[in-house]
Amino acid sequence: MSGMWGKNIRISIFGESHGNAIGINIDGLPSGFNIDMDKVMLEMSRRAPGKSPLSTTRKEGDIPEILSGYFEGKTTGTPLCAIIRNSNTKSKDYSKLKDVMRPGHADYTGNIRYNGFNDYRGGGHFSGRITAPLVFAGAICKQILETKGIIIAAHINSIGNIKDKSFLDDEITLDLINSFKGKELPLINKELEEIMRNEIISARNNLDSIGGTIECAVFGIKPGIGNPFFDSVESTLLI
């Protein structure tokens, strides 16, 4: 498994769920960009678990420490590296995972791929915890895109069989997009929030889980950008 990808901006994630820290290296950012860390922390707070019965109970501060590529409040243009230290690591809770692997998780595939040498604690490198540095990178990229008039928005499309409206159903406005901010369950149809919440809690109380989907759209991209195999729906959302 490679933790590196990208072309114009190249990112590399590293670390394990119960290691000392997780982190990310971002190469290709423009120099001289003023990162609004308050906006970054807002995005980090949205991802942080332990604040709701709808997410994992693990509590982490998710405070990024920038090690390089950032000087006097601006990007230098060299690779920007940041780490997020782990603190809530109860590794003994996962001791059974060495031999008893969770269905639907990467425990088994990780064990096979790395011949049993993978760090299995909390899912190791395959843990949802690794999404924290990705959110950090995304928060920076969103700010850069906003300076070019490009806005990214997403909402919960479905939880189980409960389905929200689509971006294609109504006129998309900045007010609608801004209404998603700070919401635990961002929805176009706000009346579904309590129904979806109860569906998730019910599954959790039954020691089960329930699937869901999101719909993401990008606004403000000039026509002609993208690959030629975009279908009509994607083109509608991207223009």
Side-chain angles (χ1 to χ4, degrees):
M1 172 182 173
S2 173
M4 303 177 64
W5 65 93
K7 183 178 179 182
N8 295 325
I9 291 182
R10 297 165 295 281
I11 66 174
S12 173
I13 53 175
F14 58 87
E16 289 82 27
S17 178
H18 284 213
N20 292 328
I22 53 179
I24 192 162
N25 195 65
I26 313 170
D27 185 30
L29 293 176
S31 60
F33 183 77
N34 184 18
I35 299 176
D36 187 332
M37 291 305 296
D38 288 336
K39 287 185 177 180
V40 170
M41 291 311 302
L42 179 62
E43 298 285 0
M44 299 300 295
S45 176
R46 290 180 62 200
R47 193 222 73 92
K51 300 182 297 183
S52 163
L54 305 185
S55 65
T56 176
T57 57
R58 179 176 179 178
K59 293 184 178 181
E60 291 281 5
D62 280 4
I63 307 298
E65 300 176 31
I66 299 179
L67 304 181
S68 66
Y70 187 65
F71 183 64
E72 295 183 341
K74 298 181 184 297
T75 57
T76 64
T78 59
L80 190 150
C81 181
I83 62 171
I84 300 170
R85 299 187 186 276
N86 295 322
S87 59
N88 187 359
T89 54
K90 300 178 182 178
S91 299
K92 65 179 181 179
D93 294 347
Y94 293 88
S95 58
K96 292 183 179 179
L97 296 185
K98 186 175 182 180
D99 302 305
V100 181
M101 300 168 197
R102 296 168 292 182
H105 206 285
D107 297 333
Y108 176 72
T109 51
N111 178 278
I112 296 299
R113 183 170 187 129
Y114 296 108
N115 301 310
F117 292 102
N118 60 297
D119 184 344
Y120 57 82
R121 299 170 302 170
H125 188 65
F126 317 112
S127 169
R129 175 108 182 96
I130 307 299
T131 60
L134 292 176
V135 170
F136 171 76
I140 294 174
C141 291
K142 278 179 66 176
Q143 291 182 37
I144 296 174
L145 290 173
E146 285 173 2
T147 66
K148 302 178 182 298
I150 299 173
I151 298 174
I152 301 172
H155 71 104
I156 294 177
N157 186 53
S158 66
I159 295 291
N161 294 321
I162 306 168
K163 189 171 178 61
D164 190 22
K165 290 182 177 179
S166 169
F167 278 130
L168 299 178
D169 294 335
D170 292 308
E171 180 183 0
I172 303 166
T173 65
L174 282 177
D175 286 340
L176 173 63
I177 294 172
N178 289 331
S179 73
F180 298 153
K181 295 180 179 179
K183 294 292 186 180
E184 186 176 38
L185 297 176
L187 296 162
I188 297 176
N189 182 0
K190 307 298 190 293
E191 295 179 358
L192 294 175
E193 182 173 351
E194 197 61 27
I195 300 174
M196 286 187 174
R197 187 185 307 277
N198 291 336
E199 191 80 359
I200 297 170
I201 293 175
S202 175
R204 181 169 191 162
N205 289 340
N206 291 324
L207 303 180
D208 202 351
S209 60
I210 188 166
T213 60
I214 65 168
E215 182 182 40
C216 180
V218 184
F219 309 93
I221 294 181
K222 294 181 180 179
I225 294 179
N227 288 324
F229 55 78
F230 282 157
D231 62 28
S232 59
V233 173
E234 287 175 320
S235 298
T236 301
L237 292 178
L238 287 170
I239 294 176

